[in-house]
Amino acid sequence: MDPRRSARTVSDPKVRQVGFFTQPPPPDRSISDPPRHHDPIQSSSPSSPPVNDHSPSGNSLSPVMIPPPRHHSDTLLRTALQATSPTTSFPYSARTVTVPQENDDVSSFSPGRRVVSGKSPSSFPGVKASSVPASELTTVSVVNLPPGISEKSGGAAVEVQNDQLARSKPLKEKTSKAERRALQEAQRAAKAAAKAEGSKAPAAASKVGPSANTKPSKAAKPPSQKNDGSQVAPSEKKGGDRAPEKDRKKDAPHPRMQYDDASRVEKAKKRAVVKQTEARNRVELFRHLPQYEHGTQLPDLETKFFELNPMHPAVYKVGLQYLSGDICGGNARCIAMLQAFKEAIKDYLTPPEKTLIRDLTARISSYVSFLIECRPLSISMGNAIKFLKSQIAKLPLSLSESEAKASLMLDIDRFINEKIILADKVIVKHAVTKIRDGDVLLTYGASSAVEMILLHAHELGKQFRVVVVDSRPKLEGQLLLRRLVRKGLSCTYTHVNAVSCIMHEVTRVFLGASSVLSNGTVYSRVGTACVAMVAHALHVPVLVCCEAYKFHERVQLDSICSNELGNPDAISKVSGREEISYLDGLVNSDNLQLLNLIYDATPSDYVSMVITDYGMVPPTSVPVIVREYRREHLWS
Amino acid sequence: MDFQVVVLAGGTSKNLTPLVSKEVPKPLLPVANRPVLYYVLHQLEQSNLKDLIVVVEGKDAALLVGGWISGTFVDRLHVEIAAVPEDIGSAGAIRAISHHLTANDILVVSGDLVSDVPPGAVAANHRRHDAVVTAMLCSVPISGPSESGSSGGKDKTKKPGRYNIIGLDPGKQFLLHIATGAEIEKDTRLQKRILRAVGEMEIRSDLMDAHMYAFKRSVLQEVLDRKDTLQSLKQDVLPYLVRSQLKSEALLNRIPRAEENGNEKVSSQNNQVMVSQILANASTPSFHDLCSVSHDGSAPIRKTHKCCAYIASSSSYCARLNSIQAFMDINRDVTGEADHLLSSISDHNNIVGPSTKLGTKTTVGPHCMLGEGSEMGDKCQVKRSVIGRHCRIGSHVKVVNSVVMNHVTIGDGCIIQGSVICSNVQLQERVVLKDCQVGAGFVVTAGSEYKGESLARKEK
């Protein structure tokens, strides 16, 4: 497939259709079943080949439709077959091949368990051996089968055991009533056959596997066959279904979680590591965005510190820092995350019987979902994750584990250096050319790129003044202001309320961005749109500084559909001034809804230019960069 | 999570003299019929910390403790016991096992802590701030018998100077000052430098150091190596680290520096600086950063380290068994208000073990605990007390606000109030004890009366 095309398919409306079951279900099992019950000949007509035919035809079957026919046809089939002559046993004998398959599945659990029991003693000496080799230390108590003990040597093996246990259990429980019954009947039949046939059949009874095909046991098979036939087909269908589902996932844009959908929220909560209490009073327009009671998450997560075993400490720390607001800002969050991932990869060991590519991807995904629970991802982080995952997927299989890890860590470093640090340097170089002596530059909030530009221009000896516009509740501008003033820049500080007054003397506006979307919309700290609009109205050029890795192919027209809600308490209280408590006691009232938006979307009309590491471009050129950049990234 | 847990179980503490002995070292002192160490280990086990080092003072005590742990926690915990000589202090104990510490961070818990504060919270706080030390602070428990009338022995057991003065920053996250016990008797000195850097300090005396610390291993080991005089973690090491947080010696910084150097395989030094600067600028700087920056003016060279505090919420229970009064209090609380610490919980507010025999008209009040195999005669009264296993109590006995350990024989007509009676004690008829401690194996002769005394067998 042409790489370029597949890149675009993500936003291609055509592909979305994969999400619906547009194809009418072709005449296959679920529909053809009833007639088959009525006349035994037809039931026998799909002799050996049709069994396999099911898999292609099952492709288009809606998964919802599988279970009812299975039960239904199961009983019906049996009665039908019993009513019919033994001839039916012949066509179905073709299906005997599937019996071992079914039973293999079952029996494969027992080896799994045997591994567990076999290994558990081996983990015992492992624990002992790795105990601190000390004269004074005496091990008085040892854990026999430690669930996730910190022993590094035994850890992996133990994990696998647990995995296997965990995997085998639910699987076993999941066999439906019909399947269990089928199995039982098969065994019973086999037993009966064993009795009848004496010494020949026992093999078949105990191990229905390969001997099932042998002729002597065939007579015994039919009763079990009927059941198995009906039961294998769905499993094949499932297998057939899985493939398109995967494709669908790959092609369609990931549907963003809508938090006003109660059932989905419930489901997500069950998965969640962080205890999330939904905030009660949410503004109607923003119900679809996640909002939690702040203040409950952090202590809860803290208490679970040692219980989250699979989480890497570095990732955990970053998550905590996101949650507590210790790290904010697109670049910083992205760098922190990547560095945490680097740490995690450094300590990563591929569990036995797993491949690094698959397992590490899953591991990273679990980290990411943990981070999302701490705070929704920024677009920059999303892009970085996409990059990392594609790098993992691209790893050649021939690489050894250490080589693969080294190359991944190098990739991460490269990403940080090229896409963030170097990009910032290039942006600074470009932007500085736009600063002339006597300029009055306005900036809003605290953007790392803008700060670098201002500092660099100052170092070059340009004479200019800076207006730092800030807003509650974060007051990030003060931090920026502090750093600028210390470097000796002459600054004016004001809040966004006064932006229309101060804009008259401003000659240029420099803004940072969380992301630039492919229609040129600038997604940034809330208030940016307002500043840009005022500047546009007063014909002051607005320059948005944004690294290209933050670009996104998404199109967004407003700041409603995708946004982030902050802590509502932050706006209802004034930090440092407890005497301002006008809203005390009202916060939980039903009539009051507090809205603390984090981002807003600035339409491209207000943006004169986007300064990025590929140069200074008008906002309309963003999609071009997105396309080129994507290509370079994912298929380089 | 790269944490190593060290439980400082102690040995035969002098504070608890008649109660502890060679046979019953402090970690095995029964609290509600369970050794006090059980509460710590149970708490750690609940937090999925199963790899512990338990440090015990004295070889014999170590053997006893080890035997008990292996009997109780076999298959549940991976415990290693280290015996250290007595009287080397908690810092000395850490020094002694220092070479076994390998993880990045060390969680040091005192073995006499009875608390339901999850250790994970302390550890998480520690990690979040990348602190050198994080100490858990809890509110000072209410001491003395609760609503009951008898409050005689308070003056004796209550230590006058056992107050803590703790200075916190306005965000209640960093520890700015800590002074304990004896230091405060006269006056306490605050460091101007820290005060100036922070601008505002909250001085509190209602908080107590619970002796659960998370240390950065490298720093802890270095401090212990360099300062031989440091004796105790609580009284020397922690105050030292807090005092020096703004002018910490270069040694403390060597470690992060080394890491940075390790990372720069690809990136030039310049890029590394930019990365760290972006990260630093993104977070709200603590006073540490501000202080270090304002001195250099340019790129911040970290000469500071962070000492954090984790303040346990007021709803959680937290107490240390370090005095006889505390022993009484904890016994009272564990059977009373903090009964969730006992996993096997009662039917109606009191715990009566199986196979206990109660005579006619004998009443066992709420917040009581009766060990298994104990027998009581007729018309006894037990109120707010803990009675151990296999005790034989005659008739007309009154036990109020007391702790009676195992295998105690109490004759008819005894009255016991606010006392601790250790194992194998024999009280003959009509003994009256008020606010007494009776050491193990002691025999109180018939008809004697004691008030506020400590009775123990003479050591031979």
Side-chain angles (χ1 to χ4, degrees):
Chain A
M1 193 193 220
D2 182 289
R4 197 184 281 196
R5 268 187 78 189
S6 74
R8 247 185 278 146
T9 49
V10 183
S11 55
D12 199 355
K14 244 188 212 165
V15 186
R16 273 177 189 269
Q17 282 183 352
V18 181
F20 306 102
F21 300 108
T22 44
Q23 289 162 292
D28 62 334
R29 277 203 65 81
S30 56
I31 290 157
S32 64
D33 258 348
R36 212 191 294 169
H37 303 316
H38 292 311
D39 83 8
I41 299 160
Q42 222 204 340
S43 81
S44 65
S45 64
S47 50
S48 41
V51 183
N52 293 331
D53 273 352
H54 280 299
S55 47
S57 68
N59 273 352
S60 50
L61 237 200
S62 146
V64 190
M65 296 176 75
I66 294 175
R70 186 202 290 169
H71 273 263
H72 187 66
S73 64
D74 188 26
T75 48
L76 273 188
L77 246 186
R78 197 180 305 131
T79 49
L81 285 173
Q82 270 162 2
T84 54
S85 62
T87 52
T88 48
S89 74
F90 174 70
Y92 275 91
S93 75
R95 292 191 182 180
T96 46
V97 192
T98 58
V99 180
Q101 184 213 343
E102 168 61 24
N103 277 319
D104 262 355
D105 264 339
V106 175
S107 66
S108 75
F109 298 138
S110 57
R113 280 230 207 93
R114 233 177 286 138
V115 169
V116 172
S117 60
K119 264 190 192 164
S120 61
S122 79
S123 79
F124 185 72
V127 171
K128 250 188 190 167
S130 61
S131 71
V132 192
S135 51
E136 320 151 33
L137 290 196
T138 36
T139 307
V140 289
S141 165
V142 161
V143 188
N144 247 340
L145 211 152
I149 194 171
S150 61
E151 235 62 64
K152 287 216 167 86
S153 59
V158 169
E159 217 169 88
V160 177
Q161 288 168 19
N162 286 344
D163 268 3
Q164 271 167 346
L165 254 185
R167 234 184 305 128
S168 67
K169 254 185 200 158
L171 263 181
K172 212 182 133 203
E173 281 159 13
K174 259 180 205 161
T175 52
S176 73
K177 203 173 172 184
E179 278 170 329
R180 263 176 285 147
R181 200 157 161 193
L183 188 72
Q184 210 175 12
E185 229 151 276
Q187 282 164 348
R188 204 177 295 153
K191 226 180 228 171
K195 250 184 206 165
E197 306 219 1
S199 58
K200 270 182 200 166
S206 62
K207 193 164 56 133
V208 199
S211 64
N213 284 347
T214 55
K215 282 221 164 148
S217 63
K218 212 203 247 166
K221 278 292 117 203
S224 74
Q225 245 13 83
K226 304 170 233 161
N227 309 329
D228 284 325
S230 60
Q231 144 203 354
V232 164
S235 83
E236 271 174 348
K237 260 186 245 160
K238 261 185 228 157
D241 249 4
R242 222 170 277 147
E245 223 165 327
K246 243 186 200 167
D247 287 344
R248 208 186 304 150
K249 258 186 199 161
K250 230 188 285 170
D251 290 350
H254 208 66
R256 230 168 300 131
M257 171 105 162
Q258 299 295 302
Y259 281 80
D260 42 0
D261 185 344
S263 65
R264 271 167 188 273
V265 170
E266 271 312 305
K267 258 186 217 163
K269 239 185 233 171
K270 271 178 210 157
R271 286 196 306 266
V273 178
V274 187
K275 197 175 108 200
Q276 296 166 329
T277 330
E278 293 273 317
R280 279 196 313 122
N281 289 335
R282 286 184 292 173
V283 179
E284 184 67 47
L285 202 52
F286 294 94
R287 284 262 161 89
H288 58 286
L289 298 173
Q291 183 168 24
Y292 306 110
E293 297 279 5
H294 282 252
T296 57
Q297 291 167 279
L298 187 59
D300 183 69
L301 189 63
E302 279 183 341
T303 57
K304 276 202 234 153
F305 183 65
F306 291 111
E307 282 145 50
L308 296 172
N309 241 343
M311 211 52 64
H312 190 274
V315 178
Y316 189 90
K317 181 179 164 184
V318 170
L320 269 183
Q321 285 172 331
Y322 288 167
L323 185 56
S324 59
D326 285 354
I327 296 183
C328 50
N331 281 341
R333 277 170 72 193
C334 189
I335 292 176
M337 180 190 70
L338 285 175
Q339 283 180 340
F341 283 167
K342 206 172 112 184
E343 287 291 307
I345 290 174
K346 200 160 101 190
D347 295 346
Y348 172 80
L349 283 174
T350 315
E353 293 168 32
K354 286 189 180 175
T355 55
L356 180 132
I357 294 176
R358 278 163 182 268
D359 190 59
L360 189 57
T361 313
R363 196 71 71 85
I364 296 284
S365 300
S366 77
Y367 293 158
V368 170
S369 62
F370 168 74
L371 293 181
I372 292 177
E373 279 165 32
C374 293
R375 191 179 160 188
L377 295 183
S378 68
I379 289 170
S380 59
M381 289 160 76
N383 284 343
I385 292 166
K386 226 180 266 172
F387 163 80
L388 180 62
K389 282 196 176 166
S390 78
Q391 289 299 323
I392 295 176
K394 272 192 325 198
L395 284 176
L397 280 169
S398 55
L399 277 188
S400 75
E401 188 182 306
S402 56
E403 281 171 333
K405 276 158 63 179
S407 110
L408 283 179
M409 281 155 66
L410 253 167
D411 282 333
I412 291 179
D413 273 336
R414 199 164 51 95
F415 188 89
I416 294 178
N417 283 325
E418 286 180 10
K419 299 297 164 197
I420 304 177
I421 303 299
L422 280 179
D424 273 339
K425 283 183 180 166
V426 174
I427 289 175
V428 167
K429 216 163 69 190
H430 286 308
V432 160
T433 61
K434 293 290 164 197
I435 299 179
R436 283 170 299 194
D437 283 348
D439 263 348
V440 179
L441 310 176
L442 183 141
T443 182
Y444 176 74
S447 154
S448 55
V450 172
E451 183 184 349
M452 281 183 235
I453 292 166
L454 296 177
L455 291 179
H456 187 68
H458 181 70
E459 275 167 31
L460 290 181
K462 302 209 172 184
Q463 298 297 313
F464 62 95
R465 227 152 49 77
V466 181
V467 179
V468 178
V469 180
D470 205 355
S471 72
R472 288 200 58 232
K474 286 206 155 187
L475 298 178
E476 296 160 306
Q478 293 190 354
L479 295 172
L480 173 71
L481 190 70
R482 194 189 171 88
R483 294 190 288 263
L484 293 181
V485 170
R486 193 179 294 132
K487 297 275 183 180
L489 279 79
S490 91
C491 298
T492 308
Y493 178 74
T494 182
H495 273 211
V496 76
N497 330 9
V499 73
S500 59
C501 312
I502 200 92
M503 197 58 85
H504 289 287
E505 53 171 307
V506 171
T507 55
R508 259 164 199 55
V509 174
F510 279 95
L511 295 174
S514 169
S515 175
V516 180
L517 309 175
S518 63
N519 59 343
T521 303
V522 175
Y523 188 66
S524 186
R525 163 76 56 219
V526 66
T528 307
C530 165
V531 172
M533 185 173 69
V534 173
H536 179 74
L538 296 178
H539 304 293
V540 181
V542 176
L543 309 165
V544 172
C545 310
C546 183
E547 298 85 353
Y549 85 101
K550 290 181 181 171
F551 288 5
H552 199 271
E553 70 260 341
R554 190 199 291 165
V555 170
Q556 200 172 320
L557 300 175
D558 54 30
S559 44
I560 298 169
C561 65
S562 161
N563 209 322
E564 190 183 330
L565 297 178
N567 184 0
D569 289 347
I571 52 170
S572 65
K573 290 188 185 116
V574 183
S575 62
R577 289 192 63 188
E578 265 120 42
E579 70 272 17
I580 301 181
S581 53
Y582 310 124
L583 289 182
D584 269 10
L586 284 177
V587 172
N588 285 330
S589 133
D590 283 337
N591 299 338
L592 174 66
Q593 295 159 344
L594 297 167
L595 176 65
N596 180 13
L597 274 182
I598 302 287
Y599 296 106
D600 68 6
T602 309
S604 57
D605 305 349
Y606 299 153
V607 179
S608 325
M609 197 196 298
V610 176
I611 306 178
T612 170
D613 29 339
Y614 295 99
M616 293 182 275
V617 296
T620 45
S621 302
V622 170
V624 181
I625 290 181
V626 169
R627 194 179 63 221
E628 297 298 315
Y629 167 74
R630 212 102 304 242
R631 214 160 64 99
E632 168 204 323
H633 240 303
L634 300 178
W635 287 278
S636 60
Chain B
M1 278 297 173
D2 209 14
F3 257 92
Q4 235 173 337
V5 185
V6 177
V7 180
L8 298 176
T12 47
S13 161
K14 288 202 184 63
N15 283 342
L16 299 161
T17 6
L19 306 188
V20 297
S21 59
K22 281 254 155 32
E23 292 80 47
V24 185
K26 185 176 159 189
L28 298 186
L29 198 62
V31 169
N33 289 338
R34 280 203 178 106
V36 61
L37 192 57
Y38 172 86
Y39 295 94
V40 171
L41 297 186
H42 182 69
Q43 182 69 31
L44 291 170
E45 189 196 4
Q46 298 245 301
S47 308
N48 202 18
L49 286 167
K50 313 215 167 183
D51 224 349
L52 319 173
I53 298 177
V54 176
V55 186
V56 186
E57 284 183 0
K59 282 241 154 49
D60 305 334
L63 274 179
L64 285 170
V65 174
W68 172 73
I69 292 176
S70 58
T72 316
F73 285 99
V74 73
D75 272 17
R76 285 160 66 192
L77 292 176
H78 178 226
V79 179
E80 281 152 323
I81 291 263
V84 296
E86 286 174 50
D87 297 328
I88 59 168
S90 45
I94 299 286
R95 249 181 229 127
I97 58 154
S98 170
H99 55 284
H100 298 293
L101 303 178
T102 47
N104 260 340
D105 295 284
I106 312 288
L107 192 70
V108 180
V109 190
S110 169
D112 59 6
L113 182 68
V114 179
S115 137
D116 55 1
V117 180
V122 179
N125 210 12
H126 182 71
R127 272 285 157 77
R128 178 156 78 88
H129 290 291
D130 198 20
V132 156
V133 59
T134 302
M136 182 172 103
L137 305 176
C138 60
S139 45
V140 178
I142 321 123
S143 117
S146 50
E147 69 278 9
S148 71
S150 72
S151 56
K154 245 185 180 175
D155 326 291
K156 195 202 151 222
T157 42
K158 208 170 171 182
K159 300 273 192 307
R162 193 161 285 279
Y163 293 114
N164 297 281
I165 293 209
I166 286 166
L168 298 167
D169 77 315
K172 294 190 179 59
Q173 306 216 298
F174 298 109
L175 213 50
L176 306 179
H177 180 77
I178 187 158
T180 41
E183 289 174 50
I184 316 165
E185 305 251 306
K186 288 169 266 164
D187 49 358
T188 181
R189 285 164 174 276
L190 285 179
Q191 278 205 310
K192 241 193 213 163
R193 189 190 168 89
I194 294 178
L195 196 55
R196 210 184 299 129
V198 186
E200 197 179 324
M201 190 192 286
E202 195 179 315
I203 301 275
R204 298 182 63 164
S205 61
D206 60 336
L207 290 176
M208 181 187 87
D209 182 0
H211 209 296
M212 184 191 277
Y213 309 113
F215 284 104
K216 191 166 268 184
R217 176 185 54 90
S218 48
V219 174
L220 178 66
Q221 283 178 336
E222 204 158 294
V223 168
L224 291 179
D225 280 354
R226 283 156 36 86
K227 308 263 174 188
D228 293 332
T229 50
L230 299 182
Q231 270 277 316
S232 129
L233 287 181
K234 179 177 178 165
Q235 274 156 17
D236 302 324
V237 176
L238 183 63
Y240 168 76
L241 286 173
V242 171
R243 242 182 293 132
S244 63
Q245 57 182 323
L246 289 187
K247 50 176 172 81
S248 71
E249 279 104 86
L251 279 161
L252 298 181
N253 292 318
R254 207 178 56 196
I255 299 92
R257 197 75 61 78
E259 268 171 28
E260 269 172 31
N261 288 344
N263 281 347
E264 46 154 319
K265 278 180 218 152
V266 227
S267 56
S268 68
Q269 185 71 37
N270 198 7
N271 286 354
Q272 207 63 43
V273 168
M274 268 178 90
V275 168
S276 55
Q277 208 159 359
I278 288 177
L279 282 178
N281 290 349
S283 55
T284 336
S286 70
F287 64 92
H288 298 98
D289 307 325
L290 295 180
C291 175
S292 59
V293 169
S294 59
H295 279 286
D296 308 299
S298 61
I301 301 160
R302 273 191 65 193
K303 277 212 162 181
T304 57
H305 59 242
K306 292 180 184 172
C307 299
C308 290
Y310 174 80
I311 301 177
S313 69
S314 52
S315 60
S316 54
Y317 183 77
C318 184
R320 285 193 66 196
L321 202 168
N322 47 13
S323 67
I324 291 171
Q325 184 60 52
F327 177 71
M328 303 284 291
D329 294 341
I330 292 171
N331 266 301
R332 178 199 67 208
D333 293 339
V334 167
T335 48
E337 57 187 49
D339 50 6
H340 54 280
L341 288 168
L342 297 166
S343 36
S344 63
I345 214 49
S346 53
D347 28 5
H348 41 276
N349 275 340
N350 58 6
I351 305 159
V352 178
S355 70
T356 48
K357 286 182 193 149
L358 301 182
T360 54
K361 292 198 180 170
T362 287
T363 54
V364 178
H367 305 319
C368 280
M369 188 168 187
L370 229 61
E372 59 197 64
S374 288
E375 293 174 22
M376 297 186 78
D378 302 339
K379 293 188 183 172
C380 290
Q381 272 194 329
V382 181
K383 284 182 188 166
R384 291 185 294 275
S385 298
V386 176
I387 294 178
R389 299 183 186 89
H390 305 289
C391 291
R392 304 173 69 88
I393 296 175
S395 44
H396 296 281
V397 173
K398 228 177 145 178
V399 182
V400 182
N401 286 324
S402 299
V403 179
V404 177
M405 293 184 196
N406 304 336
H407 302 286
V408 174
T409 315
I410 299 178
D412 295 350
C414 289
I415 296 171
I416 301 159
Q417 280 192 335
S419 302
V420 182
I421 296 169
C422 292
S423 304
N424 300 320
V425 167
Q426 201 183 340
L427 300 185
Q428 294 172 345
E429 289 85 42
R430 297 180 313 283
V431 170
V432 179
L433 295 178
K434 202 171 178 199
D435 308 316
C436 292
Q437 293 89 44
V438 185
F442 195 79
V443 179
V444 184
T445 48
S448 47
E449 274 188 43
Y450 293 101
K451 198 173 175 188
E453 282 183 67
S454 173
L455 311 169
R457 235 174 3 169
K458 279 209 179 96
E459 297 283 331
K460 280 158 206 165

